[in-house]
Amino acid sequence: MSLPRRDLFEIPEGVIYLDGNSLGPLPKAARAAMDRVVAEEWGGMLIRGWNAAGWMAQPARLGDRIGRMIGAPAGSVVVGDTLSIKVYQALASALEMRPDRRVILSDSGNFPTDLYMAEGLVRTLGRGHELRTPAPEDVLGAIDGTVAAVMLTEVDYRTGRRHDVAALSARAAEAGAVMIWDLAHSAGAIEVDVTASGCDFAVGCTYKYLNAGPGAPAFIYVRPDLAGRVRPALQGWLGHAAPFDFDPGYRAGAGIERMRVGTPPVLQMAALGAALDAWEGVDMAEIRAASIALSERFVAGMRAACPDLRLASPADPALRGSQVSFAHPEGYAIMQALIGRGVIGDFRAPDLLRFGFAPLYLGTEEIDRAVDVLAGIMRDGLWDRPAYRARAAVT
Ligand SMILES: *Cc1c(COP(=O)(O)O)cnc(C)c1O
């Protein structure tokens, strides 16, 4: 295989896309798949598509394909809903598995929605659970016999800092805590092996490095020996053992199927299927090696050309995911000036410029060009314009 596979993507002329960690670009095959599914399946088959086009089986089939990228065996991953919902499901099931414990352990750097979902669940349960959020480096030492669930995101969305999955999972298992990993910035970015880590649950989204488009469904993994025993908190009809019996009482579906909730997003699943085709024959070790080469090249270029921007990510590439961030008090305006010149990254408050590296469609030319453009902006103060300071709703 050779990287990058740029031809598989529609990236506008003149754009250097360093934001695939937030929203992956459009795979050409996804546009074609959506056109076909809209016309032939939705348009032509109407409701017959559920059977004739296999819509109902897609959440598990796509789950299996994602499973192969994260070390999960067939039948242990299913797609649907959004990641916030999948976090809630995993955590609710985890807390039921440890009825005599009251602590949910996360960290202060976790993505806000994960923490919000935990907070909301604690209130709904009303059983005195407590959400603890120590600094990321203090989590390992905070895992003890009172912890019901450890809920962490492997790669920090702001800095790219990476948790030690093996060590934390082992410590959680030793302490009898349920381990939940959020792989939002891991799936498609770095090597993941949920089986080797021994974790109980893993969740993630498909619109970041997996390129399935805005609003694409999330995924959830449940360790195979647990999947038939966990109780789903969201008892939707499609997670029922026999949805079309329309039984008024709920009976959980077999294994991972019980983590389904309601009607799956058929059009987004078509995009996801095509987006996953771009990964066929790709070795994640090769992706990881290429990602490190790109990010190291970027960091070295920035150090030489933009000394005013301070690296806010771990300097050791082994300790970060597939993104790097730089801090600057005028970070927002600098990023807008950069985007205005076709180099797209993003900004995270209060002062971080964030750049993602996706070797599937990025090569060294894009990296060098991005550094050059940014160096010009810094050298000539091109960011210092009122238009670049005006904050948009989505940063
Ligand atoms: C991107 C991201 C989310 C997004 O959740 P949605 O429900 O898909 O909007 C959640 N958690 C983490 C850690 C993320 O990085």
Side-chain angles (χ1 to χ4, degrees), residues 1 3 190-191 282-292:
M1 173 198 72
L3 291 170
I190 58 182
E191 292 169 273
V282 172
D283 176 1
M284 283 311 297
E286 200 172 334
I287 287 280
R288 176 65 170 156
S291 148
I292 288 177

Side-chain angles (χ1 to χ4, degrees), residues 296-348:
E296 285 289 87
R297 190 179 182 99
F298 188 74
V299 169
M302 291 285 285
R303 193 170 285 136
C306 304
D308 291 345
L309 290 162
R310 178 179 60 80
L311 181 65
S313 301
D316 177 355
L319 301 182
R320 58 182 194 239
S322 200
Q323 63 176 75
V324 295
S325 299
F326 289 85
H328 190 286
E330 296 292 347
Y332 186 82
I334 294 168
M335 181 53 75
Q336 302 323 302
L338 192 60
I339 293 171
R341 287 162 181 78
V343 180
I344 302 181
D346 64 21
F347 171 80
R348 285 294 173 263

